[in-house]
Amino acid sequence: MNASNAIQISHISKSFGNTQAVQDISFEVHRGEIFGLLGPNGAGKTTSIRIALDIFKPDAGSVAILGGPMSEQKKDQIGYMPEERGLYQDLPLERCLVYLASLKGLSPDQARQRLAPLLERFDLQVHKQKKVKELSKGMQQKAQIISTILHQPELIIIDEPFAALDPINTRLVKELIQELSQGGTTLLMSTHQMNQVEELCDRILLIHQGRNLLYGELEEIRRRFSGHDVWVRTPGELPQMPGVEKMTAHNRAVKLSLAKEVAPQEVLKGLVEKGVVLQQFEIAVPSLDEIFIRVVQEGQADG
């Protein structure tokens, strides 16, 4: 057991009847980091989270949370937002959030004091006397996030944080997650929307069909799967270049597929020498979606 880990999952497995939901999954979440638990729907993400939180007992394997087994005291140090939302639909929003905070040990005055700036930040202040069921799905999602963080937990676990959010509110939630991390909070995000976490996560576990698929630092994984392509954008025509096997136009940029023996720097030097005006020249790094598809198709997996 490593004290520097907020979560330590070792070789957990879980079946429901004949369905193997999780099979030999292991990962660690370091204190203070943003960790992404990623994969398509049905991959085993939520089951893994529920095992970590002691909601489900694993058939095999072990779990340590905040340095050891789960306890009632530790539950007050954790903020958990499940995929199935848990707000009381018939209560006014403010009263609902204050009540849920009281379950985590806050007094009503403490809860209201912390709640006011968050309601303002998420444009919910004017709706605080409305019943929860009268709010849109996006508003309820923001309220659920506020409920998850209001007691200022040291570990936050969010299942599908960006569901029902438009681009503006998605950005608000991302900024909040980054602020919490900078303040020392540990965050685990579980989502099938892989594109939403690429700018947030330090490390990830990508799971598929209940198994570890890829695990480690996001940048290292992306570098490992970088092909031999570069993106180029220029106001004029691109000349034919030695070592470039294929040129593919995408919007206003062109992807150059290079021969294996050719370094991107050689192509850059050649373009400059030919007097090509470059608005963009960068190594093409694949998205997590592209990496996932490739790994599944090639049958690769990390242990």
Side-chain angles (χ1 to χ4, degrees), residues 24-45:
D24 196 30
I25 281 182
S26 299
F27 64 93
E28 299 168 349
V29 179
H30 302 160
R31 289 181 187 264
E33 78 171 336
I34 305 175
F35 186 90
L37 182 60
L38 311 176
N41 288 326
K45 303 184 301 295

Side-chain angles (χ1 to χ4, degrees), residues 102-130:
S102 74
L103 300 180
K104 292 291 189 178
L106 294 188
S107 71
D109 283 345
Q110 278 179 312
R112 275 190 284 269
Q113 191 174 359
R114 291 184 187 179
L115 183 57
L118 287 167
L119 289 175
E120 195 71 46
R121 180 171 182 171
F122 283 99
D123 295 322
L124 291 173
Q125 185 72 22
V126 295
H127 303 289
K128 67 180 183 179
Q129 299 308 329
K130 289 183 181 176

Side-chain angles (χ1 to χ4, degrees), residues 12-285:
I12 59 170
S13 296
K14 181 70 178 177
S15 294
F16 299 97
N18 294 324
T19 303
Q20 180 96 43
V22 169
Q23 191 167 346
D24 196 30
I25 281 182
S26 299
F27 64 93
E28 299 168 349
V29 179
H30 302 160
R31 289 181 187 264
E33 78 171 336
I34 305 175
F35 186 90
L37 182 60
L38 311 176
N41 288 326
K45 303 184 301 295
T46 298
T47 300
S48 299
I49 286 173
R50 288 175 177 169
I51 290 171
L53 291 170
D54 204 33
I55 297 168
F56 292 158
K57 299 292 184 187
D59 300 332
S62 63
V63 175
I65 297 285
L66 299 175
M70 181 65 82
S71 64
E72 289 305 310
Q73 291 75 21
K74 284 181 183 176
K75 288 178 182 176
D76 284 348
Q77 298 171 271
I78 297 171
Y80 172 44
M81 188 176 87
E83 191 173 4
E84 304 81 20
R85 307 315 184 204
L87 300 175
Y88 293 97
Q89 294 289 312
D90 285 315
L91 285 182
L93 174 62
E94 184 180 45
R95 197 196 315 172
C96 175
L97 294 175
V98 169
Y99 170 69
L100 290 171
S102 74
L103 300 180
K104 292 291 189 178
L106 294 188
S107 71
D109 283 345
Q110 278 179 312
R112 275 190 284 269
Q113 191 174 359
R114 291 184 187 179
L115 183 57
L118 287 167
L119 289 175
E120 195 71 46
R121 180 171 182 171
F122 283 99
D123 295 322
L124 291 173
Q125 185 72 22
V126 295
H127 303 289
K128 67 180 183 179
Q129 299 308 329
K130 289 183 181 176
K131 289 184 178 180
V132 170
K133 67 183 178 185
E134 295 169 353
L135 303 176
S136 69
K137 284 185 179 179
M139 288 180 184
Q140 290 191 40
Q141 175 79 348
K142 291 189 288 185
Q144 189 84 46
I145 290 168
I146 290 171
S147 174
T148 304
I149 68 170
L150 196 57
H151 61 293
Q152 296 177 352
E154 62 178 280
L155 170 62
I156 294 173
I157 298 174
I158 309 181
D159 206 344
E160 297 297 349
F162 307 111
L165 295 181
D166 61 27
I168 291 173
N169 285 307
T170 295
R171 171 56 53 193
L172 276 174
V173 172
K174 284 181 180 177
E175 288 170 355
L176 176 66
I177 286 169
Q178 287 169 325
E179 283 176 27
L180 290 166
S181 176
Q182 288 160 6
T185 304
T186 305
L187 293 111
L188 184 154
M189 293 190 306
S190 170
T191 181
H192 69 279
Q193 295 178 292
M194 298 182 214
N195 62 308
Q196 295 291 8
V197 302
E198 292 190 78
E199 63 192 83
L200 292 172
C201 291
D202 306 304
R203 297 185 313 117
I204 63 162
L205 171 63
L206 185 53
I207 63 177
H208 179 55
Q209 296 178 345
R211 292 175 178 269
N212 284 29
L213 199 63
L214 284 171
Y215 173 53
E217 291 188 12
L218 177 57
E219 284 309 306
E220 190 279 324
I221 288 171
R222 292 179 71 181
R223 276 197 303 272
R224 197 194 325 165
F225 284 88
S226 287
H228 219 52
D229 301 334
V230 293
W231 285 110
V232 176
R233 192 149 56 90
T234 176
E237 289 292 316
L238 270 176
Q240 290 294 326
M241 296 292 297
V244 175
E245 295 184 336
K246 190 166 87 170
M247 294 199 295
T248 313
H250 289 265
N251 296 327
R252 289 175 295 167
V254 178
K255 183 188 273 189
L256 307 183
S257 299
L258 311 186
K260 285 189 178 177
E261 68 277 5
V262 175
Q265 290 76 10
E266 294 175 49
V267 176
L268 175 59
K269 184 182 175 192
L271 289 169
V272 172
E273 286 174 351
K274 286 179 180 287
V276 176
V277 177
L278 293 172
Q279 297 171 326
Q280 176 188 5
F281 185 95
E282 63 183 71
I283 294 171
V285 179

Side-chain angles (χ1 to χ4, degrees), residues 206 213 288-299:
L206 185 53
L213 199 63
L288 275 175
D289 281 324
E290 290 169 329
I291 291 170
F292 171 75
I293 291 166
R294 184 169 148 195
V295 173
V296 169
Q297 287 175 342
E298 294 177 5

